[in-house]
Amino acid sequence: MARAGTLIESVMSDIESKIASRAYLPNTRLPSVRAQAKAMNVSISTVVEAYDRLVAEGRIVSRPGAGFYTSGPIAPLNLNQIGPKVAREIDPLWVSRESLEARAGALMPGCGWLPSEWLYQTGIKRALRSLARTDSPDLTEYASPKGSQTFRHFLQRRLLNQTIDVTPDQIMLTESGTHAIDLIGRFLLSPGDTVLVDDPCYFNFHALLKAHRVQIVGVPYTPNGPDLEQFAHALETHNPRLYLTNSGIHNPTGAQLTPSVAHKLLTLAKASELVIVEDDIFADLESTRSPRLAAFDGLDQVIEIGSFSKTVSASVRCGYIAARLEWIEQLVDLKIATSFSGNRLDSEIVLQTLTDSGYRKHMDKLQTWLAKQRRQTTEKLTRLGIQPWIQPKDGMFLWCQLPDGVNATQLARDCLTQDVVLAPGNVFSQSQNAHDFLRFNVAQCTEPKIFEVLAWALKQQI
Amino acid sequence: MARAGTLIESVMSDIESKIASRAYLPNTRLPSVRAQAKAMNVSISTVVEAYDRLVAEGRIVSRPGAGFYTSGPIAPLNLNQIGPKVAREIDPLWVSRESLEARAGALMPGCGWLPSEWLYQTGIKRALRSLARTDSPDLTEYASPKGSQTFRHFLQRRLLNQTIDVTPDQIMLTESGTHAIDLIGRFLLSPGDTVLVDDPCYFNFHALLKAHRVQIVGVPYTPNGPDLEQFAHALETHNPRLYLTNSGIHNPTGAQLTPSVAHKLLTLAKASELVIVEDDIFADLESTRSPRLAAFDGLDQVIEIGSFSKTVSASVRCGYIAARLEWIEQLVDLKIATSFSGNRLDSEIVLQTLTDSGYRKHMDKLQTWLAKQRRQTTEKLTRLGIQPWIQPKDGMFLWCQLPDGVNATQLARDCLTQDVVLAPGNVFSQSQNAHDFLRFNVAQCTEPKIFEVLAWALKQQI
C-alpha cells in the first residue's frame, strides 16, 4: 500500500493510510484542499493533484459544490495498514504470532514468559483435582458480573500489601491483563486521542493501541522511570488522554520506578488530568518492593491492572482491574456487553494456586533461580560484547546493547535461520531508536546453542 | 440526562446523546445550524437556541467564523447514555447483571441457560482429572494464535455435518460467542454504521452493538425466519453493513429457519453485499436439523460463530469463528492485539468433554427432557392464559404472549418482589413492540412456586 516517490504520492499514501486506520471515516468529508495543504505542509496544487488521482482510483469521491468525501462502505479494519510499514522482525503482531506459534525445536531467548517447568504446575494440578471432586458451580455456571467475590477479597489484601487502598467492589476480574487494558481503552479512548507509552515498552501495547486507532507517543525510559522532562514536554505538546506503563519490573528494561520519579510523575499527571494505566503483571517476581503509582495516587487517576500469566499460567486466563468505583461499574457494563461473562473456572484455578501453601515457597525459589540466571546470562552476553543497559534487581529481562555497528533486526533475521527467536529492540520502541538493542529473557537462555548462534550471527555483521 | 419538555430541549438532548455515544467525536465540528435544522426537521431558530444553550452549559463551544464544535476531552463511554432511557426491567444490561448476580433463593424462569445439573458435569470433571494427570503445555503455556489445531479439526468435522465446508485454517477459537461477535464488530464496523438484528433477538446483541456505537435496526421475525419483505425494505432504507442473527434454534422465539427463507435471504444479502453473522450457539440442542445460512453461502458473506456455554459449561469459556481465510487472518491479529492469547486450558476441557463417549448420550437425554419440559410448561402457562407464539421443535425457550391488557414489564417488576426473575419481551425487541410477551426457559420452570407467583402477578393487572 505504501507508495514511494513523488510528493503527490506521499500525500496520497498519507490519506490512504488515514482511510485504512479510519482516522477518516467512510462517507465523510475530507479536509478542504487549502486545509490539507497547510496540515501537510505542501502546496495547494499538490493536494489538488493527489485528490484527483485518488478520485480516479475510486478511493475518494468528489461531490460538486461540497468537496471531497471518502467512499463507503469501508474496508475491514486491517491493523497492518495502520502506521508506517516496518520489517516483520520488528512488527509487534508478527513477533507475537511468531512466538505464539509453537516451532518444534526453536529456542526462544526473546520470548516474554517463563519455561513451563518454572511455573507452579503442582499448584495448578492440585486445583484441577480439587475442582474435579466437587459439584461446584465453578464448573458450569456463569461468573458474577465483577467476578468471584473471594478472589476480589484476596486481591484487596494483595493490593493493600502494596499500600494500594481498595475495596473489593472496586475490583473487576478480566480474562487477562491485555483484556483489562483493552476494556479501559474502549471506556476512555476515542479514535484520534493520544496515548503516552514508555519508549521502550511491552510491544503488544503498540498493537493494542493501534486497534483503538489512537496516536501513540513514546516517552524515553530511564533506569528510574520515564524521563520527566520529556514526559512534561509530551503532556504539553500532545495533550494525551492516557499514559500506559508497567511498573514493578518494567518490560523490557527490568528497571524499577523510584519514589521520587513516581511522585513527580503523578504531580504532572494531576495537573493535566491524565489517566494512568499501571500494568503490574510481574509483581510476584519482585524480591525488593518498588513503588506503585496507584499507591501514591489512591486509585484516583491511576487504574491498576494485573494478571497471573507470567507467574501462575498463561493458558489459564485471569486478570483484573482496580479503579474508582464509578469507573468499575461502567467497565462491568462494557465487559458484559462485549463478553457477557468472565471466566469463572479459570479465576478459581488461579485463586486456588495463589493461595496454595506451596506458592510463596515456589516464588522464592523462582526468584533465586532468576537471580542466578541473570548473572550467568550477563556473563555469557558480555563475553560476546553484548552489554546489559542496567543490572535489574528482579525479573527475567535483560535489555542489552549490541556491539557498535550491529543491527538488532538483521541479527534477529540471521538467528531465525538457525531457529533462535530473538526480540530486537525496535519492536519495543515507538521512536524506532533501539536498533542496537535486544531484550533477553534469562529464563529462556539456558541452552548453550543460543550463544553459539549469537556469536555466529554477530560475526556476519562485524 | 434525558430532558422532557420543549422542542429546544429535545434537540439539546439529541445532541447530548450523540456526544455521549461518540456519534459526535470530541473536538469536531457539529453540523451547521441549517443542516441540523433540516436533519432534525425543526426550525433554524430552534437549533440556534439549542446550540446557544449547549454552549452556555459548556457541552459545546462556538469558534467564531468556524461554527460549533464539541468540546474535548470526552467523557468516558457510558453504555447507559446511548439510546433512549428505558425501564430497568427491559434494559439489556440491567437484565444481564440481575441474572448473572447470584440471588440466593431466586427462581429464574427468564434466564437463558440450563440448570447446572443438566449440563454434562461428568465429562467436565473427567477432563479436569485427565489434565491434572499430565504435564501438558495446556496447563501453563500460551495458546497458538488460532487456538488448538485438534479442536479446529474437530470443529471442521462438526461444521461439515451441517454441510458447512471449511478448512481448519478458516477457524479461530475465541473466549466465547459474544467475544467472537465483538471481534467481528471491531473488524467490520465503524461508529454510525447500521446493523440489522431480528426483532425479537437475543438481548445482549443490543448491548454489544451499543458498545460499537452503531445504529440498530430490527427486522420482524416470523416462525420461519426474518420477514423477507421487511428485510428487503431495511436493506433499501438503511444500507446496513451487517446482519446479526441466530440460526439453529432462534433466541428468544425457538423458531427455526426454513430452507426457502434462508435461500431468499441470502439472495437479498448478496445483492447488497451485506455480511451476515450467524450465531449457532444452540446447535447441540437440535434434534431435527434446520438450515444454516453459512451452509448455503459457503462462508463467503456469512460468518459462522458458536460456543459451548449453553451445552457444555458457561464457566469454561470457549467459542469460535469460521469465516473466509483472509478475514480470519486479520481477526487473529485483532485477537492478539486485544487479548494476546486465547484460553488454552478451557478449549482443551471443552474439546475433551465434547469428544467424551458419554457426551452424545447426554445430549439425547437432555433433548428428551427438554421436550417433556416444553410440553409441561406450555400446559401450565396455557392454564394461566399465557400462550406460546409457536411450539418450538427443540431447545429451552418458549416465547409467550400474555393475556390481553397485561404488561410484561409490570409483571416482571411484580414477580421480582417475590424473587422470581422474568424476561419481559421488550428486552429482546428493538422496536419495543413486545410489551405483552415473555420468554420462558422451560428448563428453569420446574418449581411450582413460579406459576403461583405468575398467577398472583397476573391478578394484579386483570
Side-chain angles (χ1 to χ4, degrees):
Chain A
M1 199 51 79
R3 298 160 183 267
T6 72
L7 201 54
I8 293 166
E9 279 165 354
S10 117
V11 171
M12 290 172 71
S13 155
D14 188 77
I15 292 166
E16 284 181 343
S17 140
K18 281 188 173 136
I19 292 172
S21 72
R22 302 187 192 176
Y24 293 158
L25 289 174
N27 294 316
T28 51
R29 202 178 158 205
L30 289 169
S32 70
V33 167
R34 184 179 302 270
Q36 190 74 275
K38 205 174 156 198
M40 292 188 170
N41 200 19
V42 295
S43 73
I44 288 182
S45 64
T46 302
V47 175
V48 168
E49 179 65 22
Y51 277 16
D52 280 348
R53 286 204 213 164
L54 287 168
V55 169
E57 290 183 8
R59 306 280 302 171
I60 66 175
V61 290
S62 160
R63 296 193 193 156
F68 293 87
Y69 281 72
T70 51
S71 21
I74 48 155
L77 180 64
N78 184 337
L79 292 183
N80 295 304
Q81 277 171 19
I82 302 178
K85 278 264 162 291
V86 294
R88 60 174 204 174
E89 287 79 4
I90 54 166
D91 169 20
L93 282 166
W94 187 85
V95 170
S96 298
R97 286 182 78 150
E98 187 65 16
S99 49
L100 291 171
E101 203 69 81
R103 293 159 58 96
L107 297 170
M108 316 243 285
C111 91
W113 49 89
L114 295 173
S116 266
E117 58 274 24
W118 277 96
L119 293 170
Y120 188 43
Q121 285 178 319
T122 316
I124 298 169
K125 289 181 190 178
R126 195 175 291 153
L128 290 176
R129 281 196 306 271
S130 137
L131 280 158
R133 277 193 299 269
T134 66
D135 282 316
S136 159
D138 292 327
L139 297 184
T140 46
E141 293 185 15
Y142 282 109
S144 67
K146 287 185 185 174
S148 153
Q149 185 141 7
T150 324
F151 204 151
R152 290 185 288 118
H153 275 277
F154 171 82
L155 287 172
Q156 178 193 30
R157 292 191 300 276
R158 200 178 139 99
L159 290 165
L160 275 175
N161 277 339
Q162 291 171 343
T163 65
I164 299 172
D165 207 352
V166 63
T167 66
D169 264 358
Q170 284 178 270
I171 300 173
M172 175 178 88
L173 300 189
T174 64
E175 306 298 289
S176 63
T178 309
H179 181 225
I181 300 168
D182 187 47
L183 279 173
I184 294 165
R186 294 175 90 157
F187 175 54
L188 288 175
L189 298 175
S190 281
D193 280 352
T194 297
V195 174
L196 302 185
V197 296
D198 300 320
D199 190 348
C201 73
Y202 170 43
F203 59 77
N204 199 52
F205 287 172
H206 296 135
L208 175 62
L209 292 171
K210 261 193 191 183
H212 287 271
R213 291 171 259 153
V214 294
Q215 265 215 296
I216 311 171
V217 171
V219 175
Y221 210 72
T222 80
N224 301 321
D227 180 311
L228 289 170
E229 211 169 295
Q230 300 277 338
F231 195 87
H233 179 70
L235 285 179
E236 260 178 48
T237 319
H238 299 286
N239 189 25
R241 176 83 174 127
L242 207 76
Y243 168 47
L244 173 57
T245 186
N246 121 275
S247 298
I249 307 166
H250 182 254
N251 182 1
T253 65
Q256 282 166 310
L257 204 60
T258 62
S260 143
V261 171
H263 169 70
K264 285 175 191 148
L265 187 71
L266 274 173
T267 311
L268 288 170
K270 284 275 172 208
S272 303
E273 295 182 48
L274 178 77
V275 178
I276 299 178
V277 176
E278 182 174 52
D279 177 2
D280 194 21
I281 194 172
F282 299 105
D284 282 356
L285 297 181
E286 261 192 330
S287 58
T288 43
R289 279 264 166 260
S290 60
R292 296 294 186 273
L293 294 168
F296 284 43
D297 170 71
L299 290 178
D300 180 24
Q301 281 173 228
V302 177
I303 302 175
E304 186 81 359
I305 70 119
S307 96
F308 308 93
S309 57
K310 306 299 183 191
T311 45
V312 173
S313 164
S315 72
V316 184
R317 306 298 281 162
C318 181
Y320 63 88
I321 304 177
R324 286 190 204 177
L325 183 59
E326 69 269 26
W327 288 357
I328 287 291
E329 291 300 333
Q330 299 201 11
L331 286 165
V332 168
D333 280 347
L334 257 179
K335 183 173 85 162
I336 291 177
T338 57
S339 53
F340 198 60
S341 168
N343 196 309
R344 183 165 178 167
L345 182 77
D346 281 23
S347 70
E348 188 56 30
I349 294 171
V350 170
L351 177 62
Q352 291 197 16
T353 308
L354 289 169
T355 53
D356 181 296
S357 60
Y359 179 73
R360 198 60 256 170
K361 224 176 285 171
H362 179 85
M363 292 315 291
D364 290 345
K365 240 173 40 187
L366 179 58
Q367 285 171 13
T368 311
W369 182 69
L370 283 174
K372 189 178 130 207
Q373 282 303 116
R374 283 196 305 274
R375 273 195 312 276
Q376 293 188 347
T377 309
T378 299
E379 275 170 34
K380 288 178 199 164
L381 290 172
T382 310
R383 257 179 257 142
L384 297 172
I386 301 174
Q387 292 293 344
W389 181 64
I390 56 164
Q391 263 307 324
K393 288 198 205 73
D394 284 303
M396 63 184 100
F397 297 128
L398 288 180
W399 180 240
C400 296
Q401 191 157 21
L402 293 168
D404 263 3
V406 176
N407 178 285
T409 309
Q410 185 54 47
L411 198 77
R413 205 172 281 143
D414 290 339
C415 288
L416 200 61
T417 66
Q418 308 299 309
D419 277 336
V420 172
V421 186
L422 297 179
N426 274 348
V427 75
F428 306 93
S429 169
Q430 181 60 19
S431 65
Q432 297 287 295
N433 72 358
H435 55 85
D436 55 346
F437 275 84
L438 285 175
R439 183 191 72 181
F440 284 94
N441 176 347
V442 300
Q444 301 277 6
C445 283
T446 51
E447 286 293 324
K449 182 189 161 187
I450 290 168
F451 302 92
E452 290 158 21
V453 170
L454 271 174
W456 163 82
L458 284 168
K459 276 208 200 109
Q460 311 302 305
Q461 288 193 52
I462 298 179
Chain B
M1 201 49 76
R3 297 159 183 268
T6 71
L7 201 54
I8 294 166
E9 279 165 352
S10 118
V11 170
M12 291 172 71
S13 156
D14 188 77
I15 293 165
E16 285 181 342
S17 142
K18 281 186 173 136
I19 293 171
S21 72
R22 302 186 192 177
Y24 293 159
L25 289 173
N27 293 316
T28 52
R29 201 177 160 208
L30 288 170
S32 70
V33 167
R34 186 179 300 273
Q36 190 74 276
K38 206 175 155 198
M40 293 190 170
N41 199 21
V42 295
S43 73
I44 288 181
S45 65
T46 302
V47 175
V48 168
E49 179 65 22
Y51 277 17
D52 280 349
R53 286 205 213 163
L54 287 167
V55 169
E57 291 184 7
R59 306 281 301 171
I60 66 175
V61 290
S62 159
R63 296 193 191 156
F68 293 87
Y69 282 72
T70 52
S71 24
I74 49 156
L77 180 64
N78 184 336
L79 293 183
N80 295 303
Q81 276 172 19
I82 302 179
K85 278 262 165 292
V86 295
R88 61 174 204 175
E89 287 80 3
I90 53 165
D91 169 19
L93 282 166
W94 188 85
V95 170
S96 298
R97 287 182 78 148
E98 188 65 15
S99 49
L100 290 172
E101 203 67 81
R103 292 159 59 95
L107 297 170
M108 316 243 284
C111 90
W113 50 89
L114 296 172
S116 266
E117 57 273 24
W118 276 96
L119 293 170
Y120 187 44
Q121 285 179 319
T122 316
I124 298 169
K125 289 182 191 178
R126 194 174 293 155
L128 290 176
R129 281 197 306 272
S130 137
L131 280 159
R133 277 194 299 269
T134 66
D135 282 316
S136 159
D138 292 328
L139 297 184
T140 46
E141 293 186 15
Y142 282 109
S144 67
K146 287 186 185 173
S148 155
Q149 185 141 5
T150 323
F151 203 150
R152 290 185 287 116
H153 274 279
F154 171 81
L155 287 171
Q156 178 192 31
R157 292 191 300 276
R158 200 178 139 98
L159 289 166
L160 275 175
N161 278 339
Q162 291 171 343
T163 64
I164 299 171
D165 207 350
V166 63
T167 66
D169 264 359
Q170 283 177 273
I171 301 172
M172 175 177 89
L173 300 189
T174 64
E175 305 299 289
S176 64
T178 308
H179 180 225
I181 301 169
D182 187 47
L183 279 173
I184 295 165
R186 295 174 90 156
F187 176 53
L188 288 176
L189 299 176
S190 280
D193 280 351
T194 297
V195 174
L196 302 185
V197 296
D198 301 319
D199 191 347
C201 72
Y202 170 45
F203 58 78
N204 199 53
F205 287 172
H206 297 135
L208 175 62
L209 292 172
K210 260 192 191 185
H212 288 271
R213 293 170 259 154
V214 294
Q215 265 216 297
I216 311 171
V217 171
V219 176
Y221 210 72
T222 80
N224 302 320
D227 181 311
L228 290 171
E229 210 168 296
Q230 300 275 338
F231 194 88
H233 179 71
L235 285 180
E236 259 176 49
T237 320
H238 300 286
N239 188 25
R241 176 86 173 125
L242 207 77
Y243 168 47
L244 174 56
T245 186
N246 120 274
S247 298
I249 306 165
H250 182 254
N251 182 0
T253 64
Q256 282 166 311
L257 204 59
T258 62
S260 142
V261 171
H263 169 69
K264 286 174 191 148
L265 186 71
L266 274 174
T267 311
L268 288 171
K270 283 276 172 205
S272 304
E273 296 182 47
L274 178 77
V275 178
I276 299 178
V277 176
E278 182 174 52
D279 177 1
D280 194 22
I281 194 172
F282 298 105
D284 282 356
L285 297 181
E286 261 192 330
S287 57
T288 43
R289 279 264 166 261
S290 59
R292 296 295 187 271
L293 293 168
F296 284 44
D297 169 71
L299 291 178
D300 180 26
Q301 281 175 230
V302 177
I303 301 175
E304 188 80 358
I305 71 118
S307 96
F308 308 92
S309 58
K310 306 300 181 187
T311 46
V312 174
S313 165
S315 73
V316 185
R317 306 297 281 163
C318 181
Y320 64 87
I321 304 177
R324 287 190 204 177
L325 183 59
E326 69 268 27
W327 287 359
I328 287 292
E329 290 301 332
Q330 300 201 10
L331 286 163
V332 168
D333 280 348
L334 257 178
K335 184 175 85 163
I336 291 177
T338 57
S339 54
F340 197 61
S341 169
N343 195 308
R344 183 165 178 165
L345 182 77
D346 281 23
S347 71
E348 188 56 30
I349 294 171
V350 170
L351 177 62
Q352 291 195 16
T353 309
L354 289 170
T355 53
D356 181 295
S357 60
Y359 180 72
R360 197 60 257 172
K361 224 177 283 172
H362 180 85
M363 292 315 289
D364 289 344
K365 242 175 35 189
L366 180 58
Q367 286 172 12
T368 312
W369 182 69
L370 283 174
K372 189 179 131 208
Q373 282 302 116
R374 282 195 305 273
R375 273 195 311 277
Q376 293 187 348
T377 309
T378 300
E379 275 171 33
K380 289 178 198 163
L381 290 172
T382 310
R383 256 180 256 142
L384 296 172
I386 301 174
Q387 292 294 344
W389 181 64
I390 56 164
Q391 262 308 323
K393 287 199 205 73
D394 284 303
M396 63 184 99
F397 297 129
L398 289 179
W399 179 242
C400 296
Q401 191 159 21
L402 293 168
D404 264 3
V406 176
N407 179 284
T409 309
Q410 186 53 49
L411 198 77
R413 205 172 281 144
D414 289 340
C415 288
L416 200 61
T417 65
Q418 308 300 309
D419 276 336
V420 172
V421 185
L422 297 178
N426 273 347
V427 75
F428 305 93
S429 170
Q430 182 59 18
S431 65
Q432 297 285 295
N433 71 358
H435 55 85
D436 55 345
F437 275 84
L438 285 175
R439 183 191 72 180
F440 284 94
N441 176 349
V442 300
Q444 300 277 5
C445 283
T446 51
E447 285 292 325
K449 183 189 161 188
I450 290 168
F451 301 92
E452 289 158 21
V453 170
L454 271 174
W456 163 82
L458 283 168
K459 276 207 199 108
Q460 312 300 305
Q461 287 194 53
I462 299 179

